[in-house]
């Protein structure tokens, strides 16, 4: 029975975004998700922060904005459905400390994001806003050989400008985009992104 239950959960269909209330007159933020390969439509800048956090996490496999409606007195749209690489699913919802919300919805954990958490995410979210823009710009120009060479170089920790200096036959923009692609895949890491702005002296290393 346990195997059957796990199989059903792993085969659960991915939700589709629900429409934003308010129709065409409502303000919305349009972005492109490199991880999903499609456009995402976000209701506000808080949802944009959550989206960038999901793009930044290589353990997040799939996600969907506004996957379902939360019924009851606090009725509203859930911000995101999230599936991790191990198959675990969550709902993400920005909520105030005073709100009394269920721990699960139809067997899926409801993760409540607090305002102080969003403040702590300010630096990494700003970095990933830049990184996602580069991934989007270069998504049709990936170079597997370049990525392999970068992986060899990053066997030891190196600053971005030093990686570019070792690969002068490529443009700095192309090398940077390739490093970011490897970062998004979890093949390289960069702890500095959580505490300081990304730049030429930002250090990357193979995961």
């Amino acid at each position: 029975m346990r195997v059957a239950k796990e199989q059903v959960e792993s085969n659960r269909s991915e939700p589709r975004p629900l429409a934003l209330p308010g129709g065409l007159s409502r303000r919305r933020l349009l972005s492109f998700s490199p991880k999903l390969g499609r456009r995402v439509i976000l209701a506000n800048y808080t949802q944009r922060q959550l989206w960038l956090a999901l793009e930044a996490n290589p353990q997040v496999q799939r996600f969907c904005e506004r996957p379902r409606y939360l019924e009851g007195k606090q009725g509203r749209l859930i911000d995101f459905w999230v599936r991790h690489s191990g198959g675990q699913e969550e709902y993400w919802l920005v909520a105030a400390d005073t709100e009394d919300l269920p721990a699960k919805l139809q067997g899926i954990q409801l993760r409540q994001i607090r305002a102080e958490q969003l403040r702590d995410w300010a630096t990494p979210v700003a970095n990933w806003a830049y990184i996602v823009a580069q991934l989007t710009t270069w998504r049709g120009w990936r170079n597997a050989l370049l990525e392999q060479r970068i992986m060899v170089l990053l066997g030891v920790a190196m600053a971005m400008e030093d990686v570019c200096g070792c690969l002068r036959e490529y443009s700095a923009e192309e090398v940077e985009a390739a490093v970011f692609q490897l970062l998004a895949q979890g093949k390289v890491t960069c702890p500095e992104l959580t505490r300081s702005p990304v730049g030429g002296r930002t250090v990357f290393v193979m995961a």
Side-chain angles (χ1 to χ4, degrees):
M1 291 294 292
R2 181 179 178 183
V3 174
K5 180 181 179 181
E6 291 176 350
Q7 185 66 38
V8 169
E9 290 179 349
S10 67
N11 289 335
R12 183 184 286 146
S13 60
E14 183 174 324
R16 299 180 65 180
L18 297 178
L20 281 169
L24 296 176
S25 62
R26 177 178 178 136
R27 181 182 180 185
R28 60 201 67 205
L29 303 174
L30 304 182
S31 298
F32 181 85
S33 166
K35 184 167 287 189
L36 299 181
R38 66 167 175 83
R39 185 179 66 172
V40 293
I41 303 174
L42 307 170
N44 50 53
Y45 285 101
T46 298
Q47 283 191 357
R48 184 173 183 272
Q49 285 181 288
L50 297 183
W51 163 60
L52 288 167
L54 292 170
E55 293 284 350
N57 188 345
Q59 298 305 312
V60 170
Q61 184 183 61
R62 301 288 294 176
F63 59 85
C64 176
E65 68 275 26
R66 302 182 310 282
R68 62 171 292 168
Y69 194 77
L70 177 64
E71 302 290 347
K73 185 177 180 180
Q74 298 291 338
R76 56 183 150 153
L77 289 168
I78 297 290
D79 290 305
F80 285 95
W81 164 86
V82 182
R83 177 184 287 153
H84 298 273
S85 57
Q88 176 192 359
E89 296 181 27
E90 292 180 323
Y91 289 122
W92 282 21
L93 177 66
V94 176
D97 293 337
T98 56
E99 292 186 72
D100 183 18
L101 299 172
K104 293 185 176 182
L105 296 174
Q106 294 184 339
I108 298 179
Q109 190 75 29
L110 176 61
R111 180 178 178 183
Q112 299 176 38
I113 311 295
R114 307 300 185 183
E116 59 270 19
Q117 290 177 270
L118 293 174
R119 288 194 293 269
D120 292 341
W121 294 356
T123 296
V125 162
N127 285 331
W128 274 88
Y130 175 77
I131 291 169
V132 166
Q134 302 311 305
L135 293 176
T136 301
T137 299
W138 288 86
R139 69 182 185 275
W141 301 91
R142 287 189 60 184
N143 185 323
L145 178 59
L146 172 59
E147 291 180 12
Q148 290 173 7
R149 293 183 63 184
I150 291 171
M151 287 292 290
V152 172
L153 288 172
L154 293 182
V156 295
M158 292 183 68
M160 177 70 84
E161 63 185 32
D162 295 330
V163 176
C164 293
C166 292
L167 298 166
R168 294 187 182 278
E169 62 270 38
Y170 300 97
S171 70
E173 294 79 10
E174 187 175 5
V175 174
E176 182 181 71
V179 172
F180 291 156
Q181 181 63 51
L182 294 169
L183 180 71
Q185 293 176 335
K187 294 181 179 179
V188 305
T189 64
C190 180
E192 293 180 29
L193 292 178
T194 63
R195 57 182 183 268
S196 57
V198 64
R201 295 311 302 165
T202 302
V203 174
F204 298 82
V205 67
M206 184 168 59

